[in-house]
Amino acid sequence: MTAATTAAPSPTPTACRPTASAKTPEGGLPDPKDVDQRDATAVARAAVTVMWTVDSAIDRGQRDAYLRACPYLTPDYAARVAAEQAVGPLPQQWRDHRAYAEVRLELRQPEGDLDPDTPTMAYRQWQVTVTPTGRDEWKGRTVRAIAFVTLTRASPRDPWRVARVSTA
């Protein structure tokens, strides 16, 4: 990647920091410096990967993963994520096995009446497959979801940011 295709990631709002330690979840995460910020698909993939990568050894719950995704989010969406209350702790079974989420993504064609991408608005849809995996080789029930991602940017020169993610 060249400097011409990679923009600097947004600074992370202070309120948008994970409540857990600064450790990286098992399996690693995409580094915002290595993600082509001018590629809507690359930014959406990185954000969804980070949002779903939970590790019971370092995280209290899914919210910690969402907070780690803040460098990929618009300031408004990052503020909403930071303001949300924790949904609850990770399942005890995950904690018993020191489990982490193995996340796989598959890009899907958006369905429905979505407008085509414009220079400042884009939509991506991902099939998300998560398998809880224990450090003791335990495997939990695989979960599948569809993540609908809306991305925006102020101008074609600016980096893409995730403005919304919803799941089904």
Side-chain angles (χ1 to χ4, degrees):
M1 232 172 280
T2 66
T5 61
T6 304
S10 299
T12 303
T14 304
C16 203
R17 302 235 190 266
T19 55
S21 72
K23 294 181 181 177
T24 300
E26 184 71 24
L29 296 172
D31 185 335
K33 293 181 302 235
D34 296 332
V35 175
D36 183 351
Q37 305 287 318
R38 299 206 190 280
D39 179 341
T41 301
V43 172
R45 174 185 288 279
V48 172
T49 298
V50 173
M51 289 173 154
W52 284 76
T53 302
V54 181
D55 187 335
S56 67
I58 63 170
D59 294 328
R60 293 183 197 171
Q62 185 86 39
R63 180 173 184 264
D64 287 324
Y66 269 67
L67 291 171
R68 280 193 291 270
C70 284
Y72 301 105
L73 310 181
T74 64
D76 286 347
Y77 190 38
R80 286 195 312 271
V81 165
E84 288 180 7
Q85 297 299 315
V87 178
L90 291 169
Q92 185 60 45
Q93 194 171 28
W94 279 51
R95 295 200 181 285
D96 292 346
H97 295 282
R98 294 180 37 86
Y100 56 93
E102 284 187 358
V103 178
R104 290 186 313 280
L105 300 180
E106 183 180 330
L107 185 62
R108 299 288 184 159
Q109 283 302 112
E111 297 176 11
D113 297 331
L114 290 179
D115 293 329
D117 288 355
T118 70
T120 59
M121 180 76 69
Y123 304 93
R124 297 295 181 268
Q125 186 173 314
W126 298 94
Q127 168 75 50
V128 182
T129 304
V130 178
T131 304
T133 304
R135 287 171 171 81
D136 59 2
E137 299 185 32
W138 167 84
K139 294 277 187 183
R141 184 178 64 84
T142 296
V143 175
R144 288 179 181 80
I146 301 292
F148 303 93
V149 183
T150 301
L151 300 105
T152 63
R153 60 184 177 178
S155 78
R157 293 181 315 277
D158 293 319
W160 286 104
R161 291 293 171 253
V162 173
R164 181 173 182 230
V165 175
S166 59
T167 58

